[in-house]
Amino acid sequence: MRALAHRAVVFGLAALLTACASRPLPPAPPVTELAPGGTLRAAINFGNPILAVKDAANGEPRGVSVDLSRELGRRLGVPVQLVTFNSAGKVVEAVRDAQVDIAFVAIDPVRGADMLQTPPYVIIEGAYLVRNDSPIRRNENVDQANNRVVVGNGSAYDLYLTRELKAAKLVKAPTSPAVTDVMIAQNMEVAAGVKQQLEADAKRVGGVRLLPGRFMVINQAMGLPKGRENAARYLAAFIEQMKASGFVAAALARHGIEGAAVAPPSAP
């Protein structure tokens, strides 16, 4: 019976993935809504190494967000312009002001006020980093009055911790990749950010360690300017196809990304 139940679960999951993968995209809205200038302007954020980095050989952007942008442009039959940024805050401003047509941002109620967003395509973790000799041992120890937590200005961690921290003080670094350097240079107690970024920082600077576990889970989605509701529906279906077909998982593997997971299917 247990084996039969297991096979039933596997079959059900396979059927669900097949249904998602075969679910047709709705008719594409006019290119004037998805790419009003005739070119799809995609915001690429180097502040989150899970999504995009500069290629070491040629300096060009690469990553899952780059791959999704180019695949969307291919399907729409329009050229893609990669507009690069160093912080999520600048990306959000660009979407709000319709300086770009699509972006890749964390789902957050504050950001949702300025843009339309799809269901998530990737889930990543937020972590804390402290010095080796810090008395802080657990995530629960961070929110204390004598602790200063460095975050990237306008990042998902900034927005989340602004709401959640009651006693600790937030200190804003100009970008998320700068949080560890700011923590060390200004003798702060904690740095907060993308777990993979902090792991790389720990190897680079030494004398620091990550706290066990995570303090938040971040759902990464595509965003676009408000007033483009038809385009938003198309992008939501596009994201579901990219997850179900294995495109997102393959992109993460191709770019050597560890610690990020493909988001589960969203309801039709």
Side-chain angles (χ1 to χ4, degrees):
M1 291 297 291
R2 186 172 300 174
L4 288 174
H6 175 74
R7 285 198 294 270
V9 170
V10 171
F11 178 80
L13 288 173
L16 175 61
L17 288 174
T18 301
C20 290
S22 61
R23 187 188 307 162
L25 285 171
V31 172
T32 51
E33 184 173 334
L34 276 164
T39 296
L40 183 68
R41 301 168 299 172
I44 303 299
N45 177 22
F46 289 137
N48 187 337
I50 296 293
L51 306 184
V53 296
K54 291 182 181 180
D55 189 276
N58 56 28
E60 293 296 316
R62 65 175 181 84
V64 61
S65 59
V66 176
D67 293 350
L68 285 169
S69 299
R70 288 175 172 155
E71 176 63 16
L72 178 61
R74 185 190 69 78
R75 291 182 177 219
L76 297 175
V78 297
V80 176
Q81 177 188 359
L82 302 178
V83 185
T84 60
F85 297 86
N86 290 321
S87 72
K90 294 298 183 182
V91 171
V92 173
E93 291 175 3
V95 177
R96 180 195 64 201
D97 298 336
Q99 296 173 352
V100 295
D101 302 308
I102 60 170
F104 300 84
V105 295
I107 295 176
D108 184 273
V110 174
R111 290 178 179 170
D114 291 326
M115 69 175 73
L116 302 172
Q117 291 184 309
T118 69
Y121 64 95
V122 162
I123 299 172
I124 61 178
E125 297 179 335
Y128 290 129
L129 178 142
V130 299
R131 288 177 176 78
N132 284 343
D133 60 359
S134 170
I136 302 173
R137 296 292 171 184
R138 303 170 57 209
N139 292 329
E140 293 78 11
N141 302 144
V142 169
D143 193 12
Q144 298 179 7
N146 59 329
N147 289 334
R148 295 161 297 177
V149 182
V150 184
V151 292
N153 187 33
S155 66
Y157 316 98
D158 180 6
L159 300 177
Y160 176 82
L161 293 175
T162 295
R163 295 190 298 268
E164 296 299 318
L165 293 183
K166 308 305 179 186
K169 178 183 177 181
L170 282 183
V171 177
K172 309 296 181 71
T175 66
S176 291
V179 295
T180 299
D181 292 334
V182 170
M183 183 196 83
I184 292 173
Q186 299 186 21
N187 198 30
M188 302 291 178
E189 288 73 33
V190 184
V194 178
K195 187 173 185 179
Q196 287 76 8
Q197 177 70 58
L198 296 182
E199 288 173 337
D201 288 345
K203 295 177 182 178
R204 173 175 61 87
V205 304
V208 295
R209 56 183 167 83
L210 271 70
L211 296 185
R214 64 195 184 195
F215 70 85
M216 70 177 295
V217 173
I218 303 165
N219 291 293
Q220 290 286 340
M222 289 182 72
L224 69 165
K226 282 196 161 183
R228 303 184 184 183
E229 280 73 14
N230 290 332
R233 285 190 285 272
Y234 180 86
L235 288 184
F238 170 76
I239 283 297
E240 291 306 310
Q241 277 201 357
M242 294 299 95
K243 292 187 296 187
S245 67
F247 184 98
V248 174
L252 292 173
R254 181 167 56 253
H255 297 294
I257 301 300
E258 298 179 355
V262 179
S266 299

